[in-house]
C-alpha cells in the first residue's frame, strides 16, 4: 500500500508542478496574461506541500526520486497539452529516469 500511496502522491505532485510551470509559460511566453502565470505560481506552491506527504522521511531521496516522475510527466504533458511527439530517445530516457526513481525510493534497504 505504501508504494501505491507514494506513486499517487508523485502523480499529484507532477500535475501541480508541471501544470504550474506550463501555466506560467503560457502566461508569459505565450502572452496569455498574468492570471495564467499567477495560477501557475499557486500550483507550484501546492506542489511543494504534496511532497511532504510522502512516506519516506528523507527530503533528498524523495525529491531525487520525484525527478524521474518529472521527466516522464513533462514528456506526457507536452504530448497532451502541446501535441509534442517524443522520439524513441525521449522515451528511453524517461524509462531510465523512472527506473532510477524506483531504485531510489522503493529499493529494499537494511536497517543500520
Amino acid at each position: 500500500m505504501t508504494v501505491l500511496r507514494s506513486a499517487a502522491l508523485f502523480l499529484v505532485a507532477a500535475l501541480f508542478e508541471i501544470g504550474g510551470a506550463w501555466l506560467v509559460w503560457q502566461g508569459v511566453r505565450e502572452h496569455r496574461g498574468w492570471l495564467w502565470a499567477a495560477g501557475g505560481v499557486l500550483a507550484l506552491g501546492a506542489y511543494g506541500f504534496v511532497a511532504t506527504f510522502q512516506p519516506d522521511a528523507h527530503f533528498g531521496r524523495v525529491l531525487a526520486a520525484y525527478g524521474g516522475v518529472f521527466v516522464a510527466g513533462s514528456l506526457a504533458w507536452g504530448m497532451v497539452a502541446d501535441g509534442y511527439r517524443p522520439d524513441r530517445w525521449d522515451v528511453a530516457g524517461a524509462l531510465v529516469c523512472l527506473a532510477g526513481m524506483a531504485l531510489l525510493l522503493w529499493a529494499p534497504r537494511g536497517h543500520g
Side-chain angles (χ1 to χ4, degrees), residues 6-101:
S6 180
L9 285 168
F10 276 141
L11 290 175
V12 171
L15 287 173
F16 280 129
E17 184 182 23
I18 298 165
W22 184 82
L23 286 169
V24 171
W25 181 283
Q26 293 297 309
V28 176
R29 293 219 24 177
E30 302 298 327
H31 309 287
R32 294 199 176 185
W34 290 105
L35 285 178
W36 283 66
V41 168
L42 291 174
L44 287 165
Y47 150 76
F49 285 97
V50 172
T52 67
F53 296 112
Q54 281 289 347
D56 192 295
H58 299 92
F59 173 82
R61 181 182 295 150
V62 169
L63 268 288
Y66 171 70
V69 176
F70 178 80
V71 169
S74 294
L75 290 174
W77 189 282
M79 290 172 62
V80 172
D82 293 325
Y84 176 72
R85 294 293 170 241
D87 64 21
R88 63 183 170 168
W89 300 109
D90 293 327
V91 173
L95 291 173
V96 168
C97 290
L98 288 173
M101 179 274 305

